[in-house]
Amino acid sequence: MKTTNTADTGAKGRQAWRRRGFIFAFLAPTVIAFTVFYLYPIITVVLTSFCKWDYTNITSPEFLGFKDMFNNYKYIFSTYPYFWEALRNSSLWAFLGVFLQIPVATLIALAFSRKMRGVKLVRNIYIIPNMISSAAMGMIFLQLYSPLYGIVNPIIQVFEEGFTENILLLKGPAFWALTGAYIFFTGTTTLLILGNIMAVPQEVREAAMLDGASGLKQDWYIVLPMIKDTLRTVSILAATGSFLIYNEVYFLTKGAAGTYSISYIIRELAITSPRTQFGRANTVAVVQILAGLVIIVLVNLLYSISFRRKHGSGEGGRK
Amino acid sequence: MKKQKPIKTISTATRIFTYICLAWALLVSLVPIVWLVMSSFKEDPLARPGFMLPESICLDGYISTFRDLHVMRYFGNSMWIAGVSVIVSMLMISMSAYVVARMEFKGKKIVSMMLYSTMFIPATALTYPVYNLVNRLNIYDTRAALIMIYACSGIAVSFIVIRNYYGNIPKELEEAARIDGCGYVQTWWRVIFPIARPGILTAAVLAFFNNWNEYYWASLVIIDRNKMTVPALLSTFTTAFRTNYNGLFSAMVVIILPPIILYCVFNKFFVEALSGGAVKG
């Protein structure tokens, strides 16, 4: 009796160990990847943002000391000439991600959700630009904007005769030309939203129809509130993604005409510049990480405020 | 969902509005590509700028793209790097996602939080530490560096897609396998993995496209021309072609073609993957 009992608990114990071992072994590769690629770099970035670390002491970052701890930050904020320009541009792109890119993506998703002729074909075509790398897209737009053989200058010439300049070199227009090179390619976002629009139950639509809400009215009062979680997620992705823009800047302007982005100056400080400044690059990186968090909080706030109001008026009373 | 009346209920205003949206979608997605293809046929794009049609179809650029640029080599590089990294990351993530989706253990919350958080960690902020790491591992300027970076990045999306797919597999299947005497690993490999294959394939296709198109890291860790991926090759174009615009346009068309063809092949699958709610908030 006694022996079988201990054998039983022994088997159970072995079982538990096996289970634990399995869990450990199956999680380990991903956790290691996470540590190597995310955790360790983030810790390095934060720590070395308080270090003197540049081309003069490549292998040995030196802590600035508690008194001068924030010297890199001071340098970036007050001396480095491109920081504020880059922060302004990147923030504006994040803003446009939420307030231009997502509305456009949603409108097109709504259009795709209607059972009309030709919708499927257009939907399939609309994804194509998203299948091409943004580097290639940047390259294509560089050609489109060329004053020599592009198509943008001929269009401007309709309104302003004799316009021969390169808009990528004009302060102001360059920013918008850069924005135009990526912002309207919302294929994947549109598909994500479309999937959720299609998941709105038919009964809900029929009920809305009986209340006299059809077409655009139905979209606004019934469909949008029901997909608000997805909208929030894609808004966050659009905003944080746009904040990181690098490829477009590199291929179109290389930062000329006031188009620096945060990612661009990080790479310039850390790698491209002949006088590399790793510590300061990581300082900008810390700002970038924090800005990303702020963006997430802001978008969440925006959604909870704007949808609470709608909720109050009695529509889409879910959750 | 089959035969209903809603076709009649779309009002004229909505209809017009929808057509405007559709027209916009077509315009945005087609104009750049059509113009690019058109320009690649022009013998001298400078002589016939903008929307002017080519005088005659000139294929010199295409011929030289294959003959002088060795473009196939770069496709090979991209294929190898994107392919291997996708296999590695899918194996890794389908294992951990299984544990997180199906088992209870201490620290489960932390692990999933960790993996989700990668979606919001800006990769460019990690530029220097990763660059430094690659150097210290002595894999700078090798394909292995890019494979490592790609296998580790983009964890979040793959994780979400695969985890959700596991979530839909009935638990009884596992229990049956366990009763039949399968160990944990066997249960996963023999029973769960084959069933979850469509979900894993979805994640793999998404990841493959991402890695194929990735430019930032590709241009950072590889400088040897012979090892470059397709997007990295693009940045050499402006100097490589100088004033040979016909060659430039043709090379660009050739470069954007494979993903488009791949998309046309996987199109249905791809659209379902994204719009089927595989990735949710």
Side-chain angles (χ1 to χ4, degrees), chain B residues 133-140 142:
Chain B
L133 182 79
V134 164
N135 273 308
R136 268 201 273 166
L137 291 173
N138 269 327
I139 50 172
Y140 181 68
T142 65

Side-chain angles (χ1 to χ4, degrees), chain A residues 7-288:
Chain A
D8 204 38
T9 52
K12 256 186 195 158
R14 223 174 304 138
Q15 182 69 17
W17 273 107
R18 262 211 198 138
R19 191 167 175 278
R20 227 169 284 168
F22 172 76
I23 291 172
F24 183 78
F26 266 47
L27 285 179
T30 314
V31 173
I32 291 170
F34 174 82
T35 313
V36 168
F37 193 77
Y38 291 100
L39 192 62
Y40 158 77
I42 283 188
I43 293 170
T44 327
V45 160
V46 175
L47 290 183
T48 57
S49 74
F50 300 108
C51 290
K52 179 197 170 338
W53 191 21
D54 54 27
Y55 62 101
T56 55
N57 59 337
I58 292 175
T59 48
S60 52
E62 235 172 79
F63 182 52
L64 287 163
F66 287 106
K67 220 181 101 206
D68 301 319
M69 216 171 126
F70 291 102
N71 272 8
N72 283 340
Y73 288 84
K74 277 182 202 147
Y75 172 83
I76 291 296
F77 291 146
S78 57
T79 318
Y80 187 65
Y82 303 116
F83 174 76
W84 291 109
E85 175 188 317
L87 186 66
R88 200 195 55 223
N89 287 342
S90 286
S91 308
L92 193 51
W93 280 319
F95 178 86
L96 290 170
V98 177
F99 291 97
L100 181 60
Q101 199 169 30
I102 295 302
V104 168
T106 312
L107 279 181
I108 292 176
L110 286 170
F112 287 171
S113 75
R114 292 187 221 291
K115 296 182 180 71
M116 280 166 58
R117 202 192 278 264
V119 162
K120 257 199 181 138
L121 180 71
V122 179
R123 184 193 69 188
N124 288 344
I125 292 173
Y126 190 59
I127 323 290
I128 290 178
N130 290 75
M131 297 296 111
I132 302 168
S133 81
S134 62
M137 263 304 170
M139 212 44 196
I140 294 176
F141 272 82
L142 183 67
Q143 316 309 322
L144 286 171
Y145 291 139
S146 159
L148 295 175
Y149 48 76
I151 57 171
V152 173
N153 276 34
I155 294 170
I156 298 174
Q157 276 154 12
V158 173
F159 303 99
E160 206 182 312
E161 239 172 280
F163 182 89
T164 52
E165 274 174 279
N166 184 346
I167 57 166
L168 290 172
L169 296 175
L170 294 176
K171 206 164 177 156
F175 175 87
W176 295 105
L178 223 152
T179 309
Y182 76 89
I183 201 157
F184 297 118
F185 303 120
T186 67
T188 38
T189 315
T190 296
L191 272 191
L192 286 175
I193 298 172
L194 178 65
N196 282 272
I197 293 176
M198 297 310 246
V200 172
Q202 196 62 33
E203 302 86 67
V204 175
R205 287 180 182 277
E206 276 161 14
M209 217 90 86
L210 290 177
D211 288 345
S214 67
L216 296 172
K217 217 170 160 188
Q218 190 185 77
D219 291 340
W220 181 254
Y221 288 109
I222 311 294
V223 177
L224 289 188
M226 286 189 76
I227 60 166
K228 69 168 195 291
D229 287 332
T230 305
L231 288 181
R232 180 172 49 202
T233 309
V234 293
S235 296
I236 289 174
L237 290 176
T240 48
S242 314
F243 193 79
L244 300 187
I245 282 175
Y246 172 86
N247 292 356
E248 286 78 5
V249 178
Y250 176 81
F251 277 97
L252 288 168
T253 63
K254 301 221 165 41
T259 54
Y260 272 101
S261 74
I262 289 283
S263 299
Y264 200 83
I265 59 172
I266 291 177
R267 183 147 166 183
E268 182 135 310
L269 281 167
I271 318 272
T272 341
S273 131
R275 296 184 163 195
T276 42
Q277 318 210 20
F278 318 123
R280 284 166 177 170
N282 288 344
T283 307
V284 182
V286 170
V287 175
Q288 190 180 44

